[in-house]
Amino acid sequence: MFSPYRLARHLQKEAQAQHNNSEFTEEQKKTIGKIATCLELRSAALQSAQSQEEFKLEDLKKLEPILKNILTYNKEFPFDVQPVPLRRILAPGEEENLEFEEDEEEGGAGAGSPDSFPARVPGTLLPRLPSEPGMTLLTIRIEKIGLKDAGQCIDPYITVSVKDLNGIDLTPVQDTPVASRKEDTYVHFNVDIELQKHVEKLTKGAAIFFEFKHYKPKKKFTSTKCFAFMEMDEIKPGPIVIELYKKPTDFKRKKLQLLTKKPLYLHLHQTLHQD
């Protein structure tokens, strides 16, 4: 069963499909885009009990006959909305130029660099590398992250990257799937990340970064909320809990500010594989 937000994303993709790859006319795609907007409004209303622009369940029900009869629907759309725009996922460092909001966005000094590896598909994780004699491979299980507003995060996921001291990528960047569940002050992932380089081949001073990202309906982009990192001397089998830092992500680790004084962390479990 789709949540309003997930259904909105599927409709959005169809609404923005190129003409040759879509079964719908431009007018029909515009209507689908408006439905996606309404679903996002409903999702935002569910996230906040104090929403001023609440999109009620009764409103949502008015969309059902439109969606069922999209090929023949020719009446005026019942709500004054615009099709949801193309979702933006910000490039490293780009977020620094946007207007900051909320306490989470105070301070910090980003030092992003463009990915030097091929573009990735969000939610697609890479397989474990082939083993080599005398070399060590690392699997990191991302268990959960503690956040005071965990339940309000929309479509949260974590971007994992390995950077050198200058913030340059040493391996392809990977994105986890959207979190499996949210409970109390935790967002649960329970997903394995396979490090795309043998541990012995990582340069001195390298670090593994974990950027927690979530979607902001009002600004229509996916934003980094906070980040954590693990240095090479922390690579050891078993559980590890690491601190969370304020955005923007500082890949050079020069000006770090803790996200909160509360005991909220990123919970990981490491497994080392040796041939």
Side-chain angles (χ1 to χ4, degrees):
M1 182 179 179
F2 283 113
S3 67
Y5 190 74
R6 288 181 185 276
L7 181 55
R9 291 188 67 183
H10 282 269
L11 292 177
Q12 180 192 19
K13 287 178 183 177
E14 187 58 52
Q16 293 165 350
Q18 295 299 312
H19 181 71
N20 293 340
N21 297 327
S22 177
E23 300 176 4
F24 302 106
T25 65
E26 291 304 308
E27 196 61 36
Q28 288 166 348
K29 287 196 286 187
K30 189 181 293 184
T31 300
I32 290 171
K34 289 183 177 182
I35 294 172
T37 299
C38 292
L39 288 166
E40 286 206 350
L41 289 172
R42 176 59 185 164
S43 178
L46 291 172
Q47 295 290 330
S48 174
Q50 300 174 341
S51 173
Q52 297 300 309
E53 300 179 79
E54 203 169 295
F55 197 85
K56 298 180 174 61
L57 181 60
E58 303 86 77
D59 297 328
L60 199 63
K61 290 179 179 177
K62 294 177 183 177
L63 302 176
E64 187 178 0
I66 303 174
L67 197 53
K68 283 184 175 179
N69 302 287
I70 190 67
L71 295 177
T72 56
Y73 183 79
N74 57 7
K75 297 178 183 178
E76 187 175 346
F77 199 78
F79 302 103
D80 184 19
V81 296
Q82 294 302 312
V84 65
L86 183 66
R87 172 169 308 214
R88 293 177 62 207
I89 297 179
L90 301 183
E94 184 182 354
E95 197 170 291
E96 297 172 61
N97 300 320
L98 297 176
E99 180 185 356
F100 282 0
E101 58 178 333
E102 305 169 5
D103 293 339
E104 66 177 291
E105 306 199 42
E106 294 177 359
S113 63
D115 291 347
S116 55
F117 292 90
R120 63 199 186 271
V121 179
T124 301
L125 300 178
L126 298 171
R128 189 181 306 169
L129 294 176
S131 60
E132 290 185 19
M135 293 291 179
T136 307
L137 290 170
L138 171 64
T139 301
I140 302 174
R141 186 167 188 78
I142 300 177
E143 295 180 340
K144 60 184 179 180
I145 185 171
L147 296 166
K148 62 182 180 180
D149 56 350
Q152 297 174 24
C153 296
I154 298 176
D155 262 21
Y157 67 95
I158 290 178
T159 295
V160 181
S161 58
V162 183
K163 310 279 187 180
D164 68 10
L165 282 170
N166 295 314
I168 304 300
D169 286 307
L170 298 176
T171 68
V173 179
Q174 300 185 68
D175 293 326
T176 73
V178 169
S180 56
R181 63 190 172 95
K182 292 174 279 189
E183 185 178 67
D184 299 326
T185 56
Y186 288 103
V187 178
H188 293 262
F189 288 92
N190 295 313
V191 64
D192 288 340
I193 304 293
E194 302 292 348
L195 197 72
Q196 295 298 298
K197 187 168 264 190
H198 292 87
V199 174
E200 291 82 2
K201 296 179 181 179
L202 293 172
T203 58
K204 185 178 179 180
I208 304 169
F209 282 82
F210 306 85
E211 297 174 88
F212 180 86
K213 299 180 178 181
H214 63 136
Y215 182 62
K216 292 188 172 181
K218 288 184 179 179
K219 294 210 168 185
K220 305 295 182 187
F221 64 72
T222 295
S223 169
T224 300
K225 182 177 180 66
C226 60
F227 72 98
F229 63 88
M230 192 176 76
E231 298 183 313
M232 295 301 98
D233 60 357
E234 296 176 292
I235 295 180
K236 56 192 69 174
I240 183 173
V241 175
I242 55 179
E243 294 177 311
L244 305 176
Y245 295 96
K246 288 184 178 181
K247 62 189 275 188
T249 309
D250 181 7
F251 293 122
K252 293 184 179 180
R253 294 162 269 163
K254 298 287 188 183
K255 298 180 181 179
L256 300 169
Q257 283 188 291
L258 288 174
L259 178 69
T260 175
K261 293 180 181 178
K262 295 182 179 181
L264 299 172
Y265 307 99
L266 177 63
H267 296 250
L268 309 170
H269 190 282
Q270 301 181 78
T271 304
L272 297 177
H273 311 273
Q274 293 178 313
D275 191 3

